[in-house]
Amino acid sequence: MRQAVITAPGGTDRIVLRDAPDPTPSGRELRIRVRASGVNFADILARQGLYPDVSNFPAVVGYEVSGVVDAVGPDADPRWAGRDVVAVTHFGGYSDTVCVPEDWSFAKPAGLSHEQAAAVPVTYLAAWQLMVVMGSLSADETVLIHNAGGGVGLAAIDIGRHIGARMIGTASSHKHEFLTSRGLDEAIDYRTNDWAAETMRLTGGRGAELILDPFGGSHWKQSYRALRPTGRLGMFSVSGAVSSRLPGKLKLLGLVARMPLFNPVPLMNRNLGVFGVHVGHLFGEAQKVRGWMGSLLEGVEDGWVRPHVDRSFPLGAAGEAHAYLEGRHNIGKVILVP
């Protein structure tokens, strides 16, 4: 098989294409011949040496794939053989072949291409956890979606539209027309406007009931201040570290130093809640996540889950895919195709 390997922490030139022996499925694993793999900000953080889950190099990252099962482990259901599937992987997704536990594999919806299917697991599961499971968003509430043009942002717009909530999003101005066509109610250009002041204006000075924030650092403080009473701040990722000018791991340390310290007493006094989401740390909760994924795949069939692939890159151009995502050029998902 072929894999896009991060040889050492650093720039995009540290990703190289290498051959490796085909894996053999064991236990309840399925071996998938990959047709498409998702690219996420966690992969960029890993490449820069800023992702704690990846401490040893060389490393093959990647959390989601879509493809065809060509072999099953001795304890897996043999009926998976030959089926099109979409799967959540605990790394290894930047490969043309990968073994995945049966519990983390799902039948690919017939109406989705493999590239579209690979755009579902990480972003939609994160958005579902943020908005439905922990955010408890309802139709009479307002959600502020930061980085609304990213993969999680577009997934959140689909889910918010399905719930019927009012949605405000931050994004570069050239993305606004597309985002409003997808269902976003109001778009804020964070580069030219004070998004916090604009959010307060759009909500009549009350703030949002739910805010989704992937940036980290002092940005979380600003989001917290923009919450309405009974509001919830959902934090995921620390993508702000990518744009830091500090060298190496100082990027992450600088971001951590500016993070808020949440005190239970002010939270009680203001009737606010804060929580964090990391789909990559839910591998001990397979049945719970299967339930979420089941709801999302039903959403595909019903037409309200609409994965959008911005651009696909060959597996050998994974470095270019990272640069494209890192530069925030994308609207929606970036995909690798072996």
Side-chain angles (χ1 to χ4, degrees), residues 112-153:
L112 296 183
S113 67
H114 282 293
E115 292 169 61
Q116 290 171 319
V120 171
V122 170
T123 54
Y124 278 88
L125 283 171
W128 186 264
Q129 187 180 354
L130 284 160
M131 301 179 79
V132 177
V133 179
M134 300 178 73
S136 301
L137 184 67
S138 61
D140 61 344
E141 293 185 316
T142 296
V143 56
L144 171 62
I145 305 167
H146 285 300
N147 192 26
V152 174

Side-chain angles (χ1 to χ4, degrees), residues 260-273:
L261 296 175
F262 295 110
N263 186 307
V265 174
L267 287 172
M268 289 189 292
N269 288 339
R270 291 193 60 197
N271 289 287
L272 299 179

Side-chain angles (χ1 to χ4, degrees), residues 37-40 43 60-65 88-94 122:
S37 306
V39 180
N40 295 285
D43 308 339
V60 180
V61 296
Y63 274 121
E64 56 195 344
V65 299
V88 181
T89 62
H90 196 191
F91 300 121
Y94 284 21
V122 170

